[in-house]
Amino acid sequence: MDHVSVGLLGFGTVGTGVVHLLTDDQEKLKERTGCSIHIEKILVRDKDKIRKIKLDNRCLTQDARDIIDNPNIDIVIEVMGGINKAREYILQALRNKKHVITANKDLMALHGSELLQTAADNHCDLYYEASVGGGIPIIRSLTEGLAADRIQKIIGIVNGTTNYILSKMSQQPVSYEEVLREAQALGFAEADPTSDVEGLDAARKMVILSHLAYSIPVNLEDVTIEGITQVEQEDITYSKKLGYTIKLIGIAEYENHLIDISVQPTLLPIQHPLASVENEYNAVYVYGESCGETMFYGPGAGELPTATAVVSDLITVVKNLSLGITGHHIFLPNLKKQCKPAEAIASRYFLRMHVFDKPGAFSKVSHLFKEQGISLEKLIQEPLIRGEKAEVAIITHETNKQAFENTCQLLKDLDVVSDVKSYYRVEGMN
Amino acid sequence: MDHVSVGLLGFGTVGTGVVHLLTDDQEKLKERTGCSIHIEKILVRDKDKIRKIKLDNRCLTQDARDIIDNPNIDIVIEVMGGINKAREYILQALRNKKHVITANKDLMALHGSELLQTAADNHCDLYYEASVGGGIPIIRSLTEGLAADRIQKIIGIVNGTTNYILSKMSQQPVSYEEVLREAQALGFAEADPTSDVEGLDAARKMVILSHLAYSIPVNLEDVTIEGITQVEQEDITYSKKLGYTIKLIGIAEYENHLIDISVQPTLLPIQHPLASVENEYNAVYVYGESCGETMFYGPGAGELPTATAVVSDLITVVKNLSLGITGHHIFLPNLKKQCKPAEAIASRYFLRMHVFDKPGAFSKVSHLFKEQGISLEKLIQEPLIRGEKAEVAIITHETNKQAFENTCQLLKDLDVVSDVKSYYRVEGMN
């Protein structure tokens, strides 16, 4: 085989990046794969739109069938985004025995099992490295590099927008709202940032990673999701005083056949390698039974990093085609899912509250913690400027989620507590 | 193919780890490869030695020919270490059409090209993930994940012993000699630590990484090597005051067809992701033209991480065997080597010196820097307890290696300078 033809579904930022790389690096790609790669068709919304890249106009089409039903096309690259149409096109392409590469995390998180099963049934490849962590080869590392290990836990900073916002809030005393507006102006946050700031985007990526790491068919509904909209500057300030930083962290843990997946603002010790992941960068920290702790760090998004991941999948598919081994690498989850109950989820916690500054107040608070079987590791109390009240920030020793949330409820009912302002889990040893 | 036979050359720490994993995970491996993997023979020095693992005694041999010339063996795993015998055995095994996995960085750095060529000539696989960064799948990431990118620079902490020593010196005010003794007692440093502390081990790994990243046949002689034996507690203290940490860093850079590889104690800004790589951990930071900055972090050594990397190579070879594609993935350097001259090597520098505390001393020093065209970014001067002298620590702006080393020579000749204590390069923006 000395020639493959590719069709692109979508010609936005990532699509443009892919076309750039395929055009600029033609010779290098030929050298690496033994094959010349030709772009046959690109699906666009408007053929006549003026574009950054000059391309033969006959290459563009507004009809997806020109790609998914085109007998000349071997490989379909889906970079259009969205769910329903992308799903439909990919399924049809696979049924037509075309190999598929997608950068679509939303689609893989929602319909990954169906798409992978269809690929397997048709002996086709389906690769999706670009769907998690942009330029970081994390999916490849999980499926190949760490293949010999048993993965116990994955913790990841997998959303660039929220990491950018929390980094800025940590660098300067600015509010969430101010940084969000700045991030939107700079293009680091979307006009409607809901999916990012509410933790949904990160949750989808954790679903994809969990599926790969544990071979379990998890859904988005299995993920506990909490976004960053309620994180206040005071939470960050007190975290720092206690030796921590706040990040939006996804955790997927598998223990005794029970899985637990969550995305939540989380305190990390400042010495933790994930704590130095700043701004729009992403990182995934993996605990393997044999390998110990490994981390993969890089740009979480962006035209070229994402396009590079797509092209790197393309190289793999072209090699597989040459070797006649397409469809051999589909990885279908083969274990049953059982989720961990709240009373089995162990964690340390950070809690910030306002108490009335009168004799015996703190004794009542500490008595309650003792009663609930939760011991305290670190504590700061500072007077509030408005007087009469004090602000208290606590790091607990390990407890379980159920017990901690009960305690928060009971604290709110104490007459000496004016307000429980916030609480977050704490990850990593200090 | 439902069955492969493996021979091990060596049964030390890593060999034992490999046997452990192959025995414990038999079913999982079969599931992943479709093949049962059987250990046919293990080369040992003494068959009768008492071992941690119980094995059929007939499995052990003291004659390498029972493995490398054994027609029943498909794959040879070399975990014996050393150069000459290991090279000879691997060459013979490849000529006998056996696929080879090695964890031997010394061998790959010295004879990699010859071994890879022999593997290619015999259509055999030769994998060596464990040779760099133990449990970190860095070789796989360079050859596959980042395959679509052009790599511009690699900076790495690739030696656990020296990173352990420098981390401890940074955590407590102890001398190099004290920490080395402690590291030896704990097994983090060898009885003869020369190869680690003089930077040779790190240099070998940088040779392997450069070969892969740039497709250039580099040798150990092309690497500028400086170890950590001369690093003093004062260097670390002043670095901290200036916002930096000192690590033994390997840098391999490729620019305008010129390569430069070096291993030297280097200052890194404390916010740099590599700065939080502590103790025996390793990390490799990669700059790609498209991907931007990515980092791979993990345990640099250890029985299980290294054994996991070996088994993960084994899984790949077994799959390649099943698919009939062994020998397709050999990567031979195809570009010519040209090294960068000292006057083209740009860097910032840290310099620590003692000056006589008299009027005009500092003016003479700063005049000399100005004359040499080097501007200063940061400076600290503190009186020395013994009086009469002051200690000065400087971070320069970017200059070239040649100019900086000339300046150090001229500084030594200045009458106001008592002693140039140390200088190191500075990497990364602050």
Side-chain angles (χ1 to χ4, degrees):
Chain A
M1 209 189 58
D2 59 355
H3 176 270
V4 291
S5 283
V6 171
L8 261 85
L9 300 170
F11 200 24
T13 316
V14 179
T16 309
V18 170
V19 173
H20 256 309
L21 288 176
L22 292 184
T23 321
D24 293 359
D25 288 350
Q26 246 171 355
E27 275 193 35
K28 193 177 145 205
L29 289 169
K30 184 154 186 183
E31 193 182 283
R32 291 211 182 227
T33 59
C35 233
S36 69
I37 298 169
H38 162 75
I39 301 171
E40 180 88 17
K41 283 276 175 208
I42 304 177
L43 176 68
V44 293
R45 281 213 199 106
D46 175 6
K47 276 180 74 165
D48 302 317
K49 187 179 153 184
I50 293 159
R51 293 169 201 282
K52 275 195 286 180
I53 302 186
K54 287 261 171 293
L55 269 178
D56 184 346
N57 207 39
R58 284 166 300 179
C59 200
L60 303 180
T61 175
Q62 291 175 218
D63 185 349
R65 286 169 300 179
D66 287 345
I67 293 171
I68 55 178
D69 293 337
N70 186 334
N72 294 327
I73 287 177
D74 310 291
I75 301 168
V76 172
I77 297 176
E78 186 273 304
V79 282
M80 56 190 273
I83 306 286
N84 293 336
K85 282 208 166 158
R87 169 175 164 271
E88 182 194 316
Y89 295 163
I90 291 179
L91 286 173
Q92 181 63 18
L94 290 168
R95 287 189 203 109
N96 286 336
K97 313 287 181 206
K98 298 187 192 316
H99 310 287
V100 174
I101 293 153
T102 175
N104 194 328
K105 61 184 166 295
D106 302 359
L107 183 64
M108 286 308 294
L110 280 174
H111 300 290
S113 302
E114 180 193 19
L115 298 174
L116 288 164
Q117 187 61 59
T118 309
D121 294 345
N122 288 282
H123 309 289
C124 282
D125 273 347
L126 173 60
Y127 281 88
Y128 49 102
E129 181 64 72
S131 67
V132 182
I136 316 170
I138 177 64
I139 291 186
R140 199 176 296 269
S141 297
L142 283 179
T143 48
E144 297 179 18
L146 298 165
D149 202 358
R150 248 184 266 268
I151 294 167
Q152 298 166 318
K153 188 172 175 179
I154 297 176
I155 61 182
I157 296 174
V158 288
N159 179 272
T161 306
T162 48
N163 201 51
Y164 178 87
I165 294 173
L166 293 176
S167 296
K168 291 295 164 201
M169 284 176 73
S170 175
Q171 289 154 17
Q172 312 145 26
V174 281
S175 71
Y176 167 76
E177 289 77 17
E178 286 171 90
V179 185
L180 175 60
R181 273 195 302 274
E182 184 200 315
Q184 284 171 321
L186 290 167
F188 287 129
E190 313 246 354
D192 175 4
T194 315
S195 151
D196 291 315
V197 300
E198 295 295 354
L200 282 168
D201 176 84
R204 292 189 189 113
K205 290 162 179 167
M206 293 309 294
V207 165
I208 297 175
L209 293 179
S210 306
H211 165 118
L212 282 167
Y214 306 120
S215 206
I216 294 174
V218 286
N219 304 316
L220 205 52
E221 296 77 60
D222 302 320
V223 188
T224 306
I225 309 174
E226 193 189 320
I228 64 160
T229 53
Q230 83 292 9
V231 176
E232 293 182 29
Q233 185 53 239
E234 288 76 12
D235 295 320
I236 292 176
T237 314
Y238 278 95
S239 298
K240 266 193 198 165
K241 289 181 184 167
L242 293 160
Y244 293 84
T245 184
I246 300 187
K247 300 278 184 190
L248 183 70
I249 297 281
I251 302 188
E253 202 168 2
Y254 185 60
E255 198 186 26
N256 302 325
H257 307 286
L258 296 173
I259 192 156
D260 179 49
I261 315 177
S262 57
V263 169
Q264 291 167 42
T266 305
L267 274 75
L268 283 173
I270 46 163
Q271 312 91 311
H272 195 285
L274 280 175
S276 61
V277 178
E278 293 279 35
N279 301 324
E280 72 278 20
Y281 276 85
N282 280 198
V284 180
Y285 203 90
V286 182
Y287 293 78
E289 194 178 279
S290 309
C291 259
E293 301 170 26
T294 49
M295 182 172 90
F296 304 86
Y297 165 99
E303 173 185 329
L304 281 177
T306 312
T308 305
V310 168
V311 172
S312 150
D313 277 349
L314 179 61
I315 291 175
T316 307
V317 176
V318 173
K319 279 186 184 168
N320 290 349
L321 267 169
S322 293
L323 300 165
I325 56 162
T326 49
H328 282 84
H329 300 86
I330 295 290
F331 183 78
L332 291 165
N334 57 7
L335 295 176
K336 267 205 167 166
K337 180 178 71 188
Q338 251 189 301
C339 292
K340 208 182 242 190
E343 63 273 17
I345 300 171
S347 181
R348 295 186 296 147
Y349 285 91
F350 164 89
L351 178 138
R352 183 168 66 88
M353 62 185 162
H354 291 175
V355 298
F356 294 104
D357 202 359
K358 53 186 181 190
F362 200 73
S363 143
K364 277 196 182 173
V365 168
S366 56
H367 183 71
L368 175 63
F369 275 100
K370 192 186 149 221
E371 241 179 19
Q372 297 299 312
I374 299 175
S375 59
L376 307 184
E377 189 196 291
K378 278 188 179 183
L379 188 147
I380 302 179
Q381 173 166 342
E382 287 186 7
L384 278 173
I385 299 167
R386 325 156 225 190
E388 287 183 16
K389 290 186 199 168
E391 186 142 36
V392 176
I394 287 169
I395 305 269
T396 73
H397 279 294
E398 196 166 273
T399 174
N400 72 68
K401 195 177 169 184
Q402 183 84 64
F404 183 76
E405 288 180 349
N406 285 346
T407 307
C408 288
Q409 209 44 58
L410 293 168
L411 276 172
K412 284 179 190 165
D413 299 341
L414 275 191
D415 58 354
V416 295
V417 172
S418 132
D419 206 355
V420 172
K421 301 299 286 181
S422 59
Y423 57 88
Y424 304 106
R425 74 176 159 200
V426 176
E427 179 63 30
M429 282 298 126
N430 201 352
Chain B
M1 207 190 57
D2 59 356
H3 176 270
V4 291
S5 282
V6 171
L8 261 84
L9 300 171
F11 201 24
T13 315
V14 180
T16 309
V18 170
V19 173
H20 257 307
L21 288 177
L22 292 183
T23 321
D24 291 0
D25 288 349
Q26 246 171 354
E27 274 192 36
K28 193 178 144 205
L29 290 169
K30 184 153 187 184
E31 193 180 283
R32 291 210 181 228
T33 60
C35 233
S36 70
I37 298 169
H38 163 74
I39 300 171
E40 180 88 18
K41 282 277 174 208
I42 303 176
L43 176 68
V44 294
R45 281 212 200 107
D46 175 6
K47 277 180 73 164
D48 302 319
K49 187 179 154 184
I50 292 158
R51 294 171 200 281
K52 275 195 286 181
I53 303 186
K54 286 263 172 290
L55 270 177
D56 185 345
N57 208 41
R58 284 166 299 178
C59 200
L60 303 180
T61 175
Q62 291 175 219
D63 185 350
R65 287 169 301 181
D66 288 346
I67 293 171
I68 55 178
D69 294 336
N70 186 332
N72 293 328
I73 286 178
D74 309 291
I75 300 168
V76 172
I77 296 176
E78 186 272 304
V79 282
M80 57 190 273
I83 305 285
N84 293 336
K85 283 209 167 157
R87 169 174 164 271
E88 182 195 316
Y89 295 164
I90 291 179
L91 286 173
Q92 182 61 19
L94 291 169
R95 287 189 203 108
N96 286 337
K97 313 286 180 205
K98 298 189 190 315
H99 310 286
V100 174
I101 293 153
T102 175
N104 194 328
K105 62 187 164 294
D106 303 0
L107 183 64
M108 285 309 293
L110 281 175
H111 300 289
S113 300
E114 179 192 21
L115 297 174
L116 288 164
Q117 187 62 59
T118 309
D121 293 345
N122 289 282
H123 309 290
C124 282
D125 273 347
L126 172 60
Y127 281 87
Y128 49 100
E129 181 63 72
S131 67
V132 181
I136 316 172
I138 177 65
I139 291 186
R140 199 176 294 269
S141 297
L142 283 179
T143 48
E144 297 178 19
L146 297 166
D149 203 358
R150 249 185 267 268
I151 293 167
Q152 299 166 317
K153 187 171 174 179
I154 296 177
I155 61 181
I157 296 173
V158 288
N159 178 273
T161 306
T162 48
N163 201 51
Y164 178 87
I165 293 173
L166 293 177
S167 297
K168 290 295 165 201
M169 284 176 73
S170 174
Q171 290 154 16
Q172 311 146 25
V174 282
S175 70
Y176 167 76
E177 290 76 16
E178 286 172 89
V179 185
L180 175 61
R181 274 196 301 275
E182 185 201 314
Q184 284 171 323
L186 290 167
F188 287 128
E190 313 247 354
D192 175 3
T194 315
S195 150
D196 291 315
V197 299
E198 296 294 355
L200 282 169
D201 177 83
R204 290 187 191 116
K205 290 165 180 166
M206 292 309 293
V207 164
I208 297 174
L209 293 179
S210 306
H211 165 118
L212 281 168
Y214 307 120
S215 205
I216 294 176
V218 287
N219 303 317
L220 205 52
E221 295 78 58
D222 302 320
V223 188
T224 306
I225 308 175
E226 194 190 316
I228 65 160
T229 52
Q230 84 291 9
V231 176
E232 292 182 30
Q233 184 53 238
E234 288 77 10
D235 295 320
I236 291 175
T237 315
Y238 278 95
S239 298
K240 266 193 199 166
K241 288 182 185 169
L242 293 160
Y244 292 83
T245 182
I246 301 187
K247 300 278 184 188
L248 184 70
I249 298 281
I251 302 188
E253 202 169 1
Y254 185 61
E255 197 185 25
N256 302 325
H257 306 285
L258 296 173
I259 191 155
D260 179 50
I261 315 176
S262 57
V263 169
Q264 292 168 41
T266 304
L267 274 74
L268 282 174
I270 46 163
Q271 312 91 310
H272 194 285
L274 280 176
S276 61
V277 177
E278 293 280 35
N279 301 327
E280 72 279 19
Y281 275 85
N282 280 198
V284 180
Y285 203 90
V286 181
Y287 294 78
E289 193 178 279
S290 309
C291 260
E293 300 170 27
T294 49
M295 182 172 92
F296 304 87
Y297 164 98
E303 173 184 330
L304 281 177
T306 311
T308 305
V310 168
V311 172
S312 146
D313 278 348
L314 180 61
I315 291 175
T316 307
V317 176
V318 173
K319 279 185 183 170
N320 289 349
L321 268 169
S322 293
L323 300 165
I325 56 162
T326 48
H328 282 83
H329 300 87
I330 297 290
F331 183 78
L332 290 165
N334 57 6
L335 295 176
K336 268 204 166 166
K337 180 179 70 187
Q338 251 189 301
C339 292
K340 208 183 242 190
E343 63 273 16
I345 300 171
S347 181
R348 296 186 295 148
Y349 284 91
F350 164 89
L351 178 137
R352 183 169 66 88
M353 61 186 163
H354 290 176
V355 298
F356 293 106
D357 202 358
K358 53 187 179 187
F362 199 72
S363 144
K364 278 197 184 175
V365 167
S366 56
H367 184 71
L368 175 63
F369 274 101
K370 193 187 148 221
E371 242 178 19
Q372 297 299 311
I374 299 176
S375 59
L376 308 183
E377 187 195 293
K378 278 188 177 182
L379 188 145
I380 302 179
Q381 173 167 341
E382 286 186 6
L384 278 173
I385 299 167
R386 330 160 220 186
E388 288 180 16
K389 289 186 202 169
E391 187 143 36
V392 176
I394 287 170
I395 305 269
T396 73
H397 279 294
E398 195 165 273
T399 175
N400 73 69
K401 196 178 169 185
Q402 182 84 65
F404 183 76
E405 288 180 350
N406 285 345
T407 308
C408 287
Q409 209 45 58
L410 293 168
L411 276 172
K412 283 179 190 164
D413 298 340
L414 276 190
D415 59 353
V416 296
V417 173
S418 132
D419 206 355
V420 172
K421 301 298 285 181
S422 59
Y423 58 87
Y424 304 106
R425 75 176 159 198
V426 175
E427 179 62 31
M429 282 297 126
N430 200 352

